[in-house]
Amino acid sequence: MSDAVDLSVHPIHLGLGATAVVEPEFTGRPEWYAGYGERHDAADGAEARLVSMHTFTAPWDVWEMHPLGAEVVLCTAGTMTLHQEHAGGTTATVTLRAGEYAINPPGTWHTADIDGEATAVFITAGMGTEHRPRSG
């Protein structure tokens, strides 16, 4: 594909063999993620990466965790505070501004608070991702 594509609308799948595939329009619904897994898990497994971009105006209402690989969170606009609960029991909080990134290691539960509005690019090893509600 040689046309410009909006990353916030059509994420990219990075697969084995240095492939890059434009994904269908992102809906944010569980069915979209299930379809992504059906399209790529068998061929690329845990080495696959989903590259996506999202804009937030409120704190996340869930925690998530990627057990099989690291995730890069690159803030491109605004400010966001990433909260991490590492597999070994330690916690960390890091505030990201435009151009700054953090890494969620495999098995790290994470969520974010947003200061006004923030946009971030995510490079995610998503196979086996888990979610849990965020309380308080």
Side-chain angles (χ1 to χ4, degrees):
M1 174 176 250
S2 60
D3 296 333
V5 180
D6 184 339
L7 184 59
S8 66
V9 177
H10 293 278
I12 305 165
H13 168 75
L14 301 178
L16 297 180
T19 59
V21 177
V22 176
E23 288 299 303
E25 184 171 345
F26 183 75
T27 65
R29 300 182 53 79
E31 295 84 4
W32 189 94
Y33 288 103
Y36 174 80
E38 290 168 7
R39 287 188 298 278
H40 303 293
D41 284 355
D44 297 328
E47 296 304 314
R49 295 295 182 268
L50 176 64
V51 181
S52 59
M53 183 169 68
H54 306 286
T55 298
F56 305 95
T57 57
W60 297 4
D61 60 0
V62 298
W63 288 83
E64 69 174 11
M65 184 270 294
H66 313 291
L68 301 178
E71 176 183 55
V72 175
V73 179
L74 168 63
C75 183
T76 60
T79 303
M80 62 190 301
T81 301
L82 187 65
H83 304 284
Q84 300 172 319
E85 294 180 355
H86 299 289
T90 61
T91 62
T93 298
V94 60
T95 299
L96 302 175
R97 292 170 185 79
E100 297 177 333
Y101 70 91
I103 297 172
N104 293 315
T108 296
W109 285 95
H110 53 280
T111 192
D113 289 324
I114 307 302
D115 183 12
E117 181 176 287
T119 301
V121 171
F122 299 85
I123 305 170
T124 307
M127 190 175 204
T129 294
E130 296 179 32
H131 294 93
R132 71 177 197 220
R134 184 176 181 185
S135 58

